[in-house]
Amino acid sequence: MAGLDSPPHFTAPETTRILLCATDGQRTLVFCLVDQIVRSATPLLTFNSQLRDRGFEVVWIFSECCIPSTRHMVCVSAAKDEGEWKARIVNARSRNSSLTGSVSLAHLAQAAAEQRLRVQTFTAGQRIAVHVESMRSPCLHCGALVHEVKRATFLPEGAPTAPGLELSKARLGRCVSALIAEAIDRTQKKHTVSEPQAYLCEACTIDRRQSLRIRGQIPSALVGVVLSSSAAYELVKHHQTTWYIA
């Protein structure tokens, strides 16, 4: 990409200066540097919207306290580490760390130029992988020793660097729980999805779509799970905007 002086016809907020502006003739990247503590994010959000409306792709770099990224604004915290400037994408706080792994500013710029700065999403029809943590416990209804989903992490397939969405059992919705149960049944090859028994504890006849209590060992990874519209909605309810480097 060739360098430009600055985006034409725009005046940056007082706390902001254009660190780099580059174009390949089709796309224009703008790197905005905020080197002061932000009292209000409103001017930054407004300036970001103005640039995006004109077709610019914007990366925000903060040398002081960084604001969390939004769906349309990727925010990066920059600091010197052993003499080299390193950057971390800052996402909204969740159970997982709000920070991505540290990379050099050059690596970040290259990822932006190659369109590898992505927003993690969950949509109907999307194929995902589910990493499951389970524990052994007796069935509450019959006492048989069963496995129980304790926590599940959902990751878009084909995005190995995506941080995923981690949910405890209490936060798993009915539709998502049913998808996990079906995927476990297929993996264990004990039932087909169409059989009514596919959701039943083998030691009793209690519906386990919500409890997710399974007599056999629960696999640690389930792949090829396709999100229904209802399951996608249940995930999105708990999901905050998460940027990552693909």
Side-chain angles (χ1 to χ4, degrees), residues 95-96 133 151-154 163-168 171 238:
R95 186 181 183 276
N96 291 328
E133 295 179 32
R151 189 176 306 280
T153 301
F154 304 87
L165 171 63
E166 183 179 310
L167 297 177
S168 64
R171 301 176 73 192
H238 298 290

Side-chain angles (χ1 to χ4, degrees), residues 22 52 246:
R52 283 177 52 86

Side-chain angles (χ1 to χ4, degrees), residues 25-236:
Q26 296 181 327
R27 299 168 51 229
T28 301
L29 277 173
V30 180
F31 291 84
C32 295
L33 175 64
V34 181
D35 55 7
Q36 301 177 36
I37 295 177
V38 177
R39 304 296 180 186
S40 172
T42 301
L44 308 185
L45 295 170
T46 300
F47 188 56
N48 184 75
S49 295
Q50 291 173 346
L51 291 174
R52 283 177 52 86
D53 288 345
R54 293 293 184 93
F56 296 105
E57 300 175 29
V58 192
V59 177
W60 288 84
I61 300 174
F62 294 76
S63 62
E64 297 290 340
C65 184
C66 183
I67 66 174
S69 301
T70 69
R71 174 78 179 182
H72 302 295
M73 183 173 175
V74 57
C75 298
V76 176
S77 175
K80 267 194 174 181
D81 182 10
E82 297 182 353
E84 183 183 6
W85 281 96
K86 294 293 185 71
R88 291 175 179 264
I89 298 174
V90 176
N91 292 306
R93 295 193 180 277
S94 61
R95 186 181 183 276
N96 291 328
S97 170
S98 64
L99 300 176
T100 62
S102 177
V103 298
S104 68
L105 281 176
H107 182 88
L108 176 74
Q110 183 178 1
E114 296 173 352
Q115 295 183 293
R116 290 188 291 112
L117 294 181
R118 308 277 177 83
V119 178
Q120 180 175 273
T121 58
F122 295 100
T123 57
Q126 182 181 13
R127 295 174 68 88
I128 64 170
V130 185
H131 292 267
V132 180
E133 295 179 32
S134 62
M135 61 182 294
R136 290 174 53 157
S137 61
C139 176
L140 294 176
H141 304 283
C142 68
L145 191 63
V146 295
H147 280 82
E148 178 180 10
V149 171
K150 182 180 179 181
R151 189 176 306 280
T153 301
F154 304 87
L155 299 105
E157 277 199 356
T161 58
L165 171 63
E166 183 179 310
L167 297 177
S168 64
K169 176 189 169 183
R171 301 176 73 192
L172 295 175
R174 181 180 179 88
C175 296
V176 170
S177 296
L179 280 182
I180 294 176
E182 290 172 5
I184 291 171
D185 285 331
R186 288 196 300 271
T187 301
Q188 294 179 337
K189 298 181 180 178
K190 290 184 177 180
H191 306 286
T192 62
V193 176
S194 61
E195 292 178 350
Q197 294 83 6
Y199 300 112
L200 304 182
C201 169
E202 290 188 353
C204 66
T205 57
I206 300 301
D207 187 319
R208 62 169 169 78
R209 274 175 288 189
Q210 290 190 3
S211 66
L212 285 179
R213 293 179 175 274
I214 302 167
R215 192 171 188 180
Q217 174 69 48
I218 294 178
S220 60
L222 304 167
V223 296
V225 179
V226 180
L227 285 177
S228 64
S229 57
S230 299
Y233 174 72
E234 289 178 353
L235 291 184
V236 169

